Amino acid sequence: MKEKAFAKLNISLDVSRARDDGYHDLKMIMQSVTFCDEVDVNLNESGIFSARTNLAYVPSDDKNLAVKAAKVILGGSGQGAEITIDKKIPVGAGMAGGSADAAAVLRAVNRLLGNRYSLEELARLGERVGSDVPYCVINGTALAEGRGEILTPLNDFPDCEIVICKPSFAISTPELFKAIDRVKIRAHPDTEGIIEAVGRGDLREICRRMYNTFEEVDDHRMRTVTEIKKTLIRSGAMGAIMTGTGSAVFGIFEPGSDVLPIAENLKKEYGFAVTAKPENKSEL
Ligand code: C5P
């Protein structure tokens, strides 16, 4: 059973507070994009779980969120799963690649089980795999709160062109969450303002308000993030920010803009850059 695992971008990311359970309360506007991994799942009766990918450094055992997801949905049934992932979403980019693969496994296995679970139930299963997995189950445009698992679907994102660029370094999510605790946060995104702008389909207003609190972390790598943002804006982006805990940065352009040359230039300079479009909600 083949399933696409769409990359996620943060249109906004607000860190509210560190919690006692080791997580942080967040408020994020999430958007999935057409750029994706391809996941293929085959069930077996041997009860063995495995994952194979085109990248040598991606784990094939329980450390791979896709395997964890298969175990969560099939646990106790005696069935196992053989998962093949064609990975295109870079690791350590803030694009929820691992979570998207896990969510794709949940959707694929669910289909193989004759849609035993609703999308909502699948999202709840995803919570046990990782904070971003419930969102990656439903995709589209959504407000994510709590540790990321409390979801409110929003209107579809207005049509636009997107350029995503990742510098050669990755950023570890737990590391940046620790670093943000040492920062006196200067500004918070106007989440409500973005929700209203999404409701009206007002791309210019969305782009004006895009903001990621994690960019305030005092880390030399943020200089490269700023550099990429500036290049995107100079190239005509209406807005550009880092996604999640980075290191990928994206810019949003008017629909119909010729963004391919912009991505090609960024790729030459930083090693990874692609174009994408907004991806709408998943359906069963
Ligand atoms: O939920 P997940 O396993 O993806 O989270 C990985 C790590 O990221 C957590 O262990 C925690 O350090 C950090 N995190 C956080 N607050 C969140 C989500 C993740 O502090 N809302």
Side-chain angles (χ1 to χ4, degrees):
M1 181 64 70
K2 287 188 172 32
E3 187 72 29
K4 284 188 171 147
F6 300 106
K8 162 233 63 164
L9 298 176
N10 283 99
I11 303 303
S12 68
L13 198 168
D14 195 7
V15 183
S16 321
R17 70 179 185 103
R19 311 191 325 194
D20 295 336
D21 61 1
Y23 287 95
H24 291 72
D25 271 330
L26 308 172
K27 211 169 193 185
M28 316 182 270
I29 308 285
M30 319 281 261
Q31 179 60 48
S32 37
V33 293
T34 48
F35 180 64
C36 61
D37 290 347
E38 310 267 352
V39 177
D40 192 5
V41 185
N42 284 292
L43 300 188
N44 63 54
E45 298 305 320
S46 64
I48 294 170
F49 292 85
S50 67
R52 206 157 31 113
T53 80
N54 51 315
L55 299 178
Y57 55 85
V58 174
S60 56
D61 58 6
D62 284 28
K63 285 199 229 51
N64 189 316
L65 294 187
V67 171
K68 220 169 142 184
K71 285 190 173 173
V72 163
I73 189 167
L74 289 168
S77 70
Q79 282 185 304
E82 196 176 296
I83 304 160
T84 312
I85 308 171
D86 184 14
K87 274 215 78 68
K88 299 193 198 77
I89 306 173
V91 175
M95 295 164 73
S99 304
D101 296 343
V105 166
L106 292 176
R107 287 197 304 268
V109 173
N110 191 42
R111 207 167 313 126
L112 289 164
L113 298 176
N115 285 341
R116 183 180 297 169
Y117 301 102
S118 68
L119 218 47
E120 175 61 31
E121 288 166 335
L122 274 190
R124 296 287 70 90
L125 287 176
E127 260 178 64
R128 283 150 58 184
V129 183
S131 302
D132 276 345
V133 181
Y135 166 72
C136 292
V137 167
I138 68 163
N139 288 310
T141 315
L143 168 70
E145 295 172 284
R147 70 177 170 103
E149 85 287 19
I150 304 168
L151 299 169
T152 311
L154 303 174
N155 278 8
D156 286 346
F157 205 80
D159 186 27
C160 61
E161 313 299 329
I162 303 169
V163 174
I164 310 164
C165 172
K166 182 189 164 285
S168 55
F169 56 84
I171 296 181
S172 136
T173 297
E175 182 199 328
L176 219 64
F177 268 109
K178 272 199 201 90
I180 197 91
D181 291 338
R182 296 191 290 270
V183 174
K184 173 117 185 63
I185 295 171
R186 280 181 283 116
H188 294 274
D190 175 9
T191 311
E192 293 308 318
I194 299 174
I195 292 171
E196 270 171 40
V198 168
R200 290 195 307 271
D202 187 341
L203 188 62
R204 188 155 297 283
E205 198 57 28
I206 296 170
C207 291
R208 212 169 64 79
R209 295 176 190 273
M210 284 162 59
Y211 188 73
N212 182 347
T213 313
F214 276 115
E215 288 180 33
E216 294 188 24
V217 169
D218 185 19
D219 183 307
H220 67 280
R221 292 173 292 189
M222 292 306 158
R223 279 202 283 277
T224 310
V225 164
T226 306
E227 207 178 272
I228 300 172
K229 282 172 54 167
K230 279 188 183 152
T231 306
L232 284 163
I233 297 290
R234 259 203 320 269
S235 310
M238 299 160 76
I241 60 168
M242 182 172 84
T243 178
T245 50
S247 60
V249 177
F250 68 97
I252 295 185
F253 297 75
E254 297 267 17
S257 309
D258 184 16
V259 286
L260 206 55
I262 300 168
E264 278 166 0
N265 280 336
L266 283 165
K267 189 175 173 190
K268 268 186 227 141
E269 176 93 17
Y270 297 100
F272 173 93
V274 291
T275 63
K277 302 273 287 182
E279 171 68 33
N280 293 333
K281 293 176 190 68
S282 289
E283 279 162 32
L284 273 185

